[in-house]
Structure formats: structure tokens, C-alpha cells
Amino acid sequence: RLPFYPLRSYGGSDLPSVNSDLRKVTSPYPGPDGEPEQIYVVPPVNPDVTIIHAQRADRRGNTQIWGLTGIQAEAVYAADKAVVVVEEIVEDEVVRSDPNRTLVPSHAVDAVVVCPRGAHPSFAQGYYDRDNDFYRAWSHISKDPERLRAWLAEWVYGTADHAEYVDKLGADFWAGLAVGEALSEPVNYGRRL
């Protein structure tokens, strides 16, 4: 719910000349040279619904994410409603045992959906790896309308649900994306005696 977002990446490009949403403001803080700095800003994105994928949540929606977390928490807070898709639901005690992994608290979540392997072709750290072959193939599939229609017919419209999609890929495929253990060391959060 920010009024705008500052970015340095548009400086020196032609994009501001073709996109009127890219505007400059004077920063209230001095730049590296001590003088007021002009900086580009973009309008906020405030969707009606944000859907994110995470490793786990408890039944109330306290959502834990680790690995590359991106801007998932910010995306949830920018939206009117938030749906969290998770690899698994865990007991409250699991979430409470490691509170620093809870990046999205239950008060910001409107629904939790359990969908194992739901991030595919991307990855879920600790659950399965990224499907690099799919990413390499996608540019060829998506640039050819006929090939894209055939792919959609088989993999989207041709499967009843995500579980059927996962099954259609097969056990050998998923074994190829399996990850081994790389456990984090426990920490002592301390408590009063």
C-alpha cells in the first residue's frame, strides 16, 4: 500500500519517454554528492488477489518460506485478499518452533490451499528442484501458436486437476527433481524458566 516505489534502474534509459507512469521526484535525502537527488518512481501495484507459493503453513495460515523469498510478503500486503498455496500443512507447534521462517502471518491470509509440487516448473526449496528443461523448452513452445495450443490442450485442458498433471509427468520425472537433505542447525530462542 505504498503511494509509489522508487527505482534507480530507469536512469539513462529511453523508457521514461514512452511510459508516462515513470516519473521523477526529488528525494528528501541527499544523494552521494550531498545534493538533492532526482529519482524515478513507479505507481503501486495493488491487486484484488495475490496468490503465492510457500513451503508450509499451519491451519490458520501462518506461512513459512525459506530459500529465495522474493517479494512474496510484500505482494500479500499489497492485495485486498491473499491465497497461499503450500506444499504442506503442518501443526501449529512446527511453525511456533521456528518463528523467523513465518514471513506471512495468518492475519494477512484469506485462504490456504495444499498443492504439493504446485510451484512447478519453479522450485520449492527443500522439496524439489527447478525444472530447467521446461524453462528451456518454453520459449520454443510459446513462440509458435500451433505448438502452444497443442501444449495447452495436453497439459492444461487435458488434465482434470493438478494431481493428474503431477501424475502425468511420472515418478521418474519427479525423481529427477528430487533434492537431498541440507538441514539447518537449530537455534536456541531461549525462554523463561
Side-chain angles (χ1 to χ4, degrees):
R1 296 301 173 182
L2 297 172
F4 55 82
Y5 193 81
L7 294 168
R8 292 187 188 277
S9 58
Y10 294 113
S13 80
D14 290 337
L15 287 173
S17 68
V18 295
N19 185 341
S20 62
D21 283 340
L22 304 177
R23 301 183 187 161
K24 276 188 172 178
V25 298
T26 301
S27 171
Y29 302 102
D33 61 0
E35 297 297 318
E37 183 178 13
Q38 292 287 300
I39 189 162
Y40 282 99
V41 296
V42 295
V45 176
N46 296 119
D48 295 331
V49 178
T50 288
I51 301 171
I52 66 167
H53 191 89
Q55 283 91 341
R56 65 187 182 200
D58 63 21
R59 295 191 190 289
R60 291 180 303 187
N62 291 301
T63 304
Q64 294 193 323
I65 306 170
W66 57 91
L68 298 174
T69 60
I71 59 163
Q72 296 199 75
E74 291 86 347
V76 164
Y77 282 111
D80 293 331
K81 301 281 183 186
V83 177
V84 176
V85 180
V86 294
E87 294 294 319
E88 64 178 322
I89 295 284
V90 295
E91 296 299 321
D92 295 354
E93 295 76 28
V94 173
V95 170
R96 279 190 297 237
S97 74
D98 194 0
N100 288 334
R101 292 192 200 282
T102 305
L103 297 191
V104 180
S106 62
H107 73 264
V109 176
D110 295 285
V112 177
V113 176
V114 179
C115 185
R117 298 177 172 148
H120 180 266
S122 190
F123 67 98
Q125 183 78 40
Y127 289 80
Y128 47 89
D129 207 353
R130 184 179 192 266
D131 184 355
N132 290 321
D133 290 341
F134 176 84
Y135 283 100
R136 282 190 286 279
W138 182 247
S139 62
H140 302 293
I141 294 167
S142 62
K143 72 179 177 183
D144 178 350
E146 187 64 33
R147 192 170 175 189
L148 178 59
R149 279 192 287 279
W151 186 89
L152 289 169
E154 179 179 359
W155 292 99
V156 178
Y157 306 122
T159 55
D161 55 24
H162 187 70
E164 187 176 323
Y165 169 82
V166 167
D167 289 344
K168 184 174 179 158
L169 287 168
D172 289 342
F173 171 83
W174 290 107
L177 295 182
V179 294
E181 281 191 344
L183 298 175
S184 176
E185 291 292 323
V187 297
N188 182 353
Y189 286 109
R191 66 181 174 90
R192 288 188 174 172
L193 300 176

